[in-house]
Amino acid sequence: MKKTENKTINNSRRDFLSKAAVAGTITIAPGVLLHSTSAHAIDGDATDLNTSVSTRPLDQEVSSKNRWGMLIDTTKCATGCTDCVDACNEENGLIGHNRPETDAQYIRKVTLKSKSTGHELSLPLMCQHCETAPCADVCPTGASFVRADGIALVDKHICIGCRYCMMACPYKARSFVHEDVKNQKLSAPRGKGTVEACTMCVTRVDNGGIPACVEACTAENHNAMIFGDLKDPNSPISIELKKHGGKQLRSDLALNTGVRYQGMNE
Amino acid sequence: MTRFLRQTAVMVYALVGFSLLSASTLVGTAHAGTPFPDIHEPTDKSVKCIQPEDVMRREHMNYILHERDETMREGIRGEPESLANCINCHVEPDENGEIAGIETDQHFCSACHEYTAVQIDCFQCHADRPQKYIKRNSHTSSLRQQLQQTLAASNAADKGVKQ
Amino acid sequence: MSKIEYTSLEGKSPAYFGFLGALAFVILLALGAVFYMEHEGHHVTGMNNQIVWGMPHVFAIFLIVAASGALNVASIASVFRKKLYEPMARLSALLAIALLTGGLVVLLLDLGRPDRLIVAMTYYNFKSIFAWNIILYTGFFGFVGAYLWTMMDHNVYKYKPYAGFAAFVWRLILTTGTGSIFGFLVARSAYDAALMAPMFIVMSFSFGLAIFLLVLMATYKWNNMELGDVVLNRLRNLLGVFVAGVLYFTAVYHLTNLYATQHHGVEKFLLLEGGVFTNIFWIGEILLGGIIPLILIYAPGVKNCRTTLGLICTLIIFGGFAKIYTILIAGQAYPLEIFPGYEVSSSFYDGVVNSYTPSLPEIMLGLGGIAMTLFIVAFALKVLRFLPVSLADSVADPHHAK
Ligand code: SF4
Ligand code: SF4
């Protein structure tokens, strides 16, 4: 019950902030708003760390003033829990066909066991939303691209289904649609013969929301995932990163990923 | 000379055959009047389309294409010229509550597109009906089951190692 | 120096039409396979989210690589001015174009959205080596086509050296481009090597020449035209050098990988523990495709034996497929190392060696590409004069004392 209350409060706070921001563009000056297009709780309620959300008016372009990212605390991620995965499947209308080798998975739970210490941990793995994304570099048509605010996407309108991006992605984050799809979700169009991956729930994010996986993880009180603006030094995600740091997977490749992990000390 | 005659004959045959064929189609449909696609009119007359009908007929693809690239690349959303908006007004269930899908010629889009023989590429990825009419299998999808089986298996395997 | 006389095939015999018919049949089957795959979706193939490039790509890459190599004979004639090769330059260029067409058709028809060919040609991402390849392929058709034209039309004959040189340079770039498709996949341990591009060039020399020799011998034999040992022995020696070259590059590739510690895992997999991949590597690629042909090429007893030469070429082609199969498929089968230092498991095949079972439609599509190549060659030989009337020793090398 408490959870629901929190959510409502937060939602109304977001609503208020984004309305205030829109009002700001009209009444004050557009320039003021452009300098901070992300809002977050200044007076923290400590449990909700997902207060850094987009307040960009939807008729304005995304810009590189924001960089959306996620921080995953593997010490809080429960082995065997699939709440984030379920939420993602529901959000994007991913339905398995009992063919695990070809069924799409935007996010998956990976179980790790350190070879040196035997320490075990579990974490969700999805598109890492690389800044210098190999998928976008290799895509012949430019269908794979990284939005100005750091979200890596596939423009399925011009994807020819060559799968070169799948070859190039270091995290195996992408799936190819191997069969006809019907009854897609409004905000998650997907179809046979094109490549797809985690979109960081771009429609939700644009509308001032947070990704479905983060929402589910928080709603179930695991609090292992934080979403927010990496470029805003006052966002909870930036503060947390500053305090405790966060690892980029395959950091040797220098891709500057938007998804970071904590608690991965062998 | 003979070659000339032979070629002429072939052409005459072809012409006659073609005329016969077209005549027969004309006769066959004459009593039905001019064929015309059956385009669904939105029931809610209070909502007006964003542009007059003749403009929409000519320009709808350009509107959608423009909106497509802005939304996809720049995150600009909520403009009136969107495919989702078209579908919201124009695709409705019939008296029996059934929605004719894009694969039939009753669907608002395919009615015209089949008539004019223009292929639509939208609905390989986009839903062909408004969101509220999408019937979804309950989400105990096989994917979830697989996932849990795999996790259970890997946990069991780990325990096996420890013993 | 007498002028070389060229001829076209009469192409009226039942055997000729039977040959074309058989090829057309294979092409039809391949089209059926494509229709099936595209209609059902790729789940009916052996390819999946782990092995994303499969049999069609093995065929396509083989044909594209061989296309560049098939131009060898023409290049040696025009760029290195070797008179002996001159008469065969036309056939060599024709084969190059036909091979590239076959390969590209396969690549294209395997796309998830082959109907978007127009998108592939109108949207270019210039950062993508793949997009560059599309330009390289188009250019190859242009340059080799122009080169053929200068060879076959007296009015533009004087431009032949330039056209020949341009085609030569272009094919080297083209193969570098093809090899770089892998070189850019930094995250995959097996492909992380600067050696890929030069290795692909040597591979193209070897595969392309083997195919050229087979086509040459078959054409002259089936049409009762004279083909002397001088020509064949030259080409055979050249082939020996190329095969040795491929073996050498393969060795260096694996040795450098063994030198870099982070690649020990993948090397161990490829060379020792990869099961079917290890077998294909040692038996298919190295033994059948390298060592045995090499021995046969230089074995004194079978020097002028055409059957042996045919066998050698077939083995090299087979070994070539094996080589591309190990590069492409085994490279994907080896798991990505996302978490060094950890044992990994998940519902998405993390940390496991992926398995791949090619499906019939995929193989059919690949064979269709080969049939397409041969069809183009057979048809073109009938319409235009590509073949020297005779390649008997006295014609090929008048100074060759008999
Ligand atoms: S994780 Fe993979 S799919 Fe996502 S941006 Fe990076 S390379 Fe692209
Ligand atoms: S599959 Fe689509 S998104 Fe991926 S590289 Fe090819 S065209 Fe680009």
Side-chain angles (χ1 to χ4, degrees):
Chain A
M1 195 59 225
K2 173 126 194 314
K3 249 176 333 204
T4 345
E5 270 167 30
N6 272 347
K7 267 278 97 61
T8 340
I9 294 164
N10 292 334
N11 281 343
S12 61
R13 184 174 62 212
R14 265 173 218 140
D15 273 350
F16 169 73
L17 283 171
S18 65
K19 271 180 202 130
V22 176
T25 34
I26 303 158
T27 52
I28 311 168
V32 175
L33 183 82
L34 285 178
H35 288 297
S36 98
T37 45
S38 120
H40 46 82
I42 302 137
D43 55 341
D45 93 46
T47 52
D48 192 353
L49 293 169
N50 292 304
T51 50
S52 162
V53 294
S54 169
T55 57
R56 170 179 61 93
L58 283 177
D59 58 353
Q60 282 181 20
E61 289 180 34
V62 290
S63 77
S64 53
K65 296 197 174 70
N66 305 102
R67 170 120 198 254
W68 302 112
M70 291 193 231
L71 177 61
I72 293 158
D73 186 346
T74 59
T75 58
K76 293 184 183 157
C77 178
T79 312
C81 166
T82 60
D83 288 334
C84 54
V85 182
D86 294 339
C88 176
N89 290 346
E90 175 62 33
E91 176 74 15
N92 294 296
L94 304 182
I95 293 170
H97 298 84
N98 257 326
R99 295 190 291 261
E101 295 191 328
T102 53
D103 283 342
Q105 295 195 29
Y106 291 4
I107 179 171
R108 58 189 192 267
K109 281 298 294 290
V110 181
T111 312
L112 300 177
K113 187 174 170 188
S114 165
K115 284 180 195 158
S116 53
T117 60
H119 177 63
E120 273 190 51
L121 50 103
S122 156
L123 53 81
L125 182 63
M126 70 299 257
C127 171
Q128 302 289 298
H129 298 279
C130 316
E131 183 182 6
T132 46
C135 57
D137 281 350
V138 301
C139 175
T141 66
S144 290
F145 70 104
V146 182
R147 236 168 56 151
D149 59 357
I151 300 183
L153 295 170
V154 181
D155 183 348
K156 288 168 194 165
H157 305 104
I158 57 170
C159 168
I160 55 174
C162 66
R163 285 104 79 201
Y164 195 22
C165 54
M166 298 177 74
M167 293 287 280
C169 173
Y171 309 100
K172 208 162 163 285
R174 299 199 150 190
S175 299
F176 181 64
V177 184
H178 286 80
E179 60 281 300
D180 267 323
V181 186
K182 279 206 156 37
N183 284 348
Q184 295 90 337
K185 291 265 173 148
L186 179 67
S187 54
R190 52 191 299 264
K192 181 175 73 181
T194 53
V195 164
E196 55 184 5
C198 158
T199 63
M200 216 186 260
C201 289
V202 65
T203 319
R204 279 168 165 259
V205 169
D206 281 351
N207 286 304
I210 62 172
C213 52
V214 182
E215 190 177 273
C217 187
T218 313
E220 298 297 326
N221 255 327
H222 306 303
N223 298 316
M225 303 172 94
I226 310 178
F227 166 82
D229 187 354
L230 296 171
K231 283 203 176 155
D232 175 356
N234 298 317
S235 64
I237 191 173
S238 300
I239 295 173
E240 182 58 28
L241 275 168
K242 195 171 175 195
K243 261 198 249 162
H244 301 294
K247 184 178 158 49
Q248 301 187 25
L249 302 181
R250 285 301 307 264
S251 52
D252 55 317
L253 297 174
L255 304 174
N256 192 12
T257 54
V259 180
R260 314 282 168 84
Y261 291 84
Q262 289 179 331
M264 291 190 56
N265 323 308
E266 291 172 38
Chain B
M1 193 58 206
T2 42
R3 207 183 66 177
F4 175 74
L5 279 179
R6 205 169 57 224
Q7 283 175 346
T8 322
V10 168
M11 284 194 301
V12 170
Y13 282 142
L15 256 177
V16 171
F18 181 70
S19 336
L20 279 180
L21 205 74
S22 12
S24 70
T25 29
L26 278 181
V27 172
T29 48
H31 58 87
T34 317
F36 204 69
D38 175 19
I39 302 171
H40 177 74
E41 296 274 344
T43 34
D44 185 356
K45 303 285 182 215
S46 64
V47 185
K48 265 186 66 191
C49 195
I50 54 168
Q51 292 285 341
E53 200 171 279
D54 57 328
V55 179
M56 283 315 278
R57 282 210 180 134
R58 259 180 290 118
E59 298 290 338
H60 67 280
M61 56 299 217
N62 298 331
Y63 291 154
I64 301 176
L65 184 67
H66 182 69
E67 197 259 0
R68 169 194 114 177
D69 287 340
E70 281 194 337
T71 304
M72 187 78 232
R73 304 265 157 180
E74 297 165 2
I76 293 173
R77 291 174 196 277
E79 293 179 325
E81 303 91 345
S82 79
L83 179 66
N85 280 353
C86 300
I87 296 290
N88 264 335
C89 284
H90 286 282
V91 181
E92 292 177 304
D94 61 13
E95 309 84 59
N96 310 323
E98 296 285 320
I99 287 195
I102 191 73
E103 64 284 349
T104 70
D105 60 2
Q106 310 296 306
H107 187 275
F108 174 71
C109 302
S110 50
C112 254
H113 274 265
E114 277 188 16
Y115 182 69
T116 52
V118 178
Q119 206 195 331
I120 329 177
D121 205 14
C122 306
F123 300 102
Q124 296 224 5
C125 289
H126 288 282
D128 61 352
R129 57 200 66 197
Q131 208 54 208
K132 56 186 168 196
Y133 299 127
I134 289 183
K135 286 200 204 83
R136 198 155 283 290
N137 312 344
S138 71
H139 199 76
T140 41
S141 69
S142 52
L143 199 61
R144 184 191 171 125
Q145 286 163 8
Q146 278 158 29
L147 198 66
Q148 283 172 343
Q149 277 163 13
T150 326
L151 285 170
S154 81
N155 289 344
D158 286 349
K159 293 211 182 75
V161 171
K162 272 177 209 140
Q163 277 158 11
Chain C
M1 163 94 209
S2 61
K3 255 189 79 194
I4 313 154
E5 262 188 76
Y6 290 94
T7 178
S8 56
L9 295 184
E10 201 187 1
K12 286 200 176 126
S13 66
Y16 178 78
F17 282 113
F19 185 62
L20 282 192
L23 292 176
F25 183 66
V26 178
I27 294 174
L28 267 181
L29 283 181
L31 287 179
V34 169
F35 182 76
Y36 174 64
M37 291 192 315
E38 298 298 341
H39 185 263
E40 289 290 316
H42 272 64
H43 76 88
V44 297
T45 69
M47 293 175 274
N48 50 44
N49 284 331
Q50 286 60 243
I51 308 285
V52 299
W53 283 355
M55 229 31 188
H57 304 81
V58 173
F59 276 90
I61 293 172
F62 178 85
L63 290 172
I64 291 169
V65 165
S68 154
L71 199 64
N72 264 336
V73 174
S75 294
I76 297 171
S78 63
V79 180
F80 302 106
R81 312 272 160 144
K82 293 274 191 282
K83 279 275 173 289
L84 178 88
Y85 297 88
E86 180 88 41
M88 296 174 288
R90 292 181 181 187
L91 178 63
S92 156
L94 168 66
L95 189 59
I97 288 184
L99 282 166
L100 187 65
T101 314
L104 286 184
V105 165
V106 175
L107 202 59
L108 181 79
L109 290 180
D110 174 73
L111 291 179
R113 299 293 307 255
D115 52 323
R116 288 192 178 156
L117 175 62
I118 198 79
V119 172
M121 307 210 295
T122 46
Y123 287 80
Y124 275 113
N125 168 20
F126 285 102
K127 262 182 137 180
S128 165
I129 184 74
F130 223 48
W132 280 105
N133 269 289
I134 299 176
I135 298 170
L136 293 178
Y137 300 147
T138 325
F140 189 81
F141 284 123
F143 280 109
V144 180
Y147 178 36
L148 259 180
W149 181 32
T150 59
M151 284 194 276
M152 301 180 82
D153 183 345
H154 280 288
N155 297 322
V156 288
Y157 191 78
K158 56 177 177 293
Y159 299 114
K160 196 184 77 164
Y162 308 109
F165 186 72
F168 169 72
V169 175
W170 198 264
R171 50 76 70 99
L172 289 184
I173 304 177
L174 180 122
T175 318
T176 313
T178 315
S180 307
I181 287 182
F182 295 100
F184 273 72
L185 302 174
V186 284
R188 302 216 177 231
S189 320
Y191 303 146
D192 184 13
L195 219 57
M196 274 296 181
M199 184 160 85
F200 265 70
I201 292 186
V202 187
M203 278 155 62
S204 86
F205 288 171
S206 156
F207 308 163
L209 188 55
I211 296 178
F212 178 83
L213 265 167
L214 273 187
V215 169
L216 185 74
M217 288 196 295
T219 315
Y220 275 76
K221 181 152 192 230
W222 292 345
N223 295 289
N224 296 320
M225 291 154 72
E226 260 190 284
L227 175 61
D229 285 333
V230 173
V231 168
L232 285 185
N233 282 334
R234 276 288 185 87
L235 292 176
R236 179 199 192 109
N237 285 338
L238 199 59
L239 193 59
V241 177
F242 293 158
V243 172
V246 173
L247 277 177
Y248 170 76
F249 266 93
T250 311
V252 176
Y253 166 78
H254 288 290
L255 286 175
T256 38
N257 264 358
L258 283 174
Y259 189 72
T261 322
Q262 77 266 30
H263 290 149
H264 282 181
V266 68
E267 280 305 316
K268 201 163 151 200
F269 171 72
L270 290 176
L271 303 180
L272 296 172
E273 295 168 350
V276 61
F277 297 115
T278 304
N279 289 340
I280 294 180
F281 175 75
W282 286 112
I283 300 175
E285 179 182 338
I286 301 297
L287 191 67
L288 293 178
I291 294 174
I292 295 184
L294 209 54
I295 294 174
L296 287 178
I297 286 171
Y298 293 111
V302 285
K303 189 154 184 277
N304 289 332
C305 171
R306 306 244 163 131
T307 319
T308 314
L309 187 53
L311 178 71
I312 292 169
C313 294
T314 315
L315 281 175
I316 291 172
I317 292 170
F318 176 79
F321 271 103
K323 179 157 187 63
I324 291 179
Y325 193 91
T326 40
I327 292 178
L328 190 67
I329 311 286
Q332 295 175 79
Y334 186 72
L336 279 170
E337 288 181 44
I338 308 173
F339 305 97
Y342 285 99
E343 278 167 28
V344 190
S345 66
S346 80
S347 60
F348 206 54
Y349 302 90
D350 287 289
V352 296
V353 171
N354 302 300
S355 62
Y356 171 64
T357 323
S359 67
L360 190 63
E362 285 168 78
I363 298 175
M364 215 46 246
L365 169 58
L367 291 177
I370 295 182
M372 177 100 187
T373 301
L374 294 177
F375 192 95
I376 295 174
V377 173
F379 185 72
L381 289 182
K382 178 179 170 168
V383 209
L384 288 171
R385 287 186 291 178
F386 283 100
L387 296 172
V389 174
S390 163
L391 280 172
D393 291 350
S394 54
V395 181
D397 186 4
H399 311 297
H400 180 76
K402 252 276 146 97

